[in-house]
Amino acid sequence: MTISERYRELVSDVTEALGSLDAQSAEAREVRKASLEMAALQESVGEIARIRLESELTPVLLKAHGQLDRARLLLAEQGDEDLAASVWELEQKIYRLLNDL
């Protein structure tokens, strides 16, 4: 699977995770921010030259990771361990993608 395909899949996963949260909650706002940030490059990621992928995707992925981490911590504080674990999985996917860049 290419970097572009993995990125698009990750955007889809983050958007899907947003659907499982209360829309008005603080953690949903953080996941929404991450989703919007990543969605901005969803269509054009395949057009980015391989040599520029790292420089263009890394800041977006790091910012999204920080937002997801805040959401995970909020979920853990509320005792919603299942949702916190699913957000943690998304964070791990971001780490793996960053490592492959």
Side-chain angles (χ1 to χ4, degrees), residues 40-99:
L41 289 177
Q42 185 175 10
E43 294 301 319
S44 63
V45 71
E47 299 167 10
I48 299 172
R50 175 78 176 141
I51 198 163
R52 291 187 7 239
L53 269 177
E54 181 178 1
S55 65
E56 292 197 29
L57 290 184
T58 298
V60 172
L61 290 170
L62 287 174
K63 188 172 182 179
H65 181 274
Q67 292 161 331
L68 290 172
D69 197 46
R70 282 190 291 279
R72 180 182 58 82
L73 291 173
L74 289 168
L75 288 165
E77 283 177 8
Q78 294 173 5
D80 198 340
E81 297 301 323
D82 290 339
L83 284 175
S86 68
V87 172
W88 175 250
E89 289 300 319
L90 293 172
E91 290 180 70
Q92 294 304 305
K93 279 184 153 183
I94 289 175
Y95 273 136
R96 287 190 291 274
L97 186 55
L98 284 167
N99 285 335

Side-chain angles (χ1 to χ4, degrees), residues 14-15 17-18 21-38 63-75 87 90:
V14 171
T15 303
L18 181 59
L21 299 171
D22 175 21
Q24 302 304 316
S25 65
E27 56 273 5
R29 285 192 294 275
E30 293 300 325
V31 174
R32 188 177 303 109
K33 287 178 192 175
S35 176
L36 292 173
E37 183 83 24
M38 294 175 68
K63 188 172 182 179
H65 181 274
Q67 292 161 331
L68 290 172
D69 197 46
R70 282 190 291 279
R72 180 182 58 82
L73 291 173
L74 289 168
L75 288 165
V87 172
L90 293 172

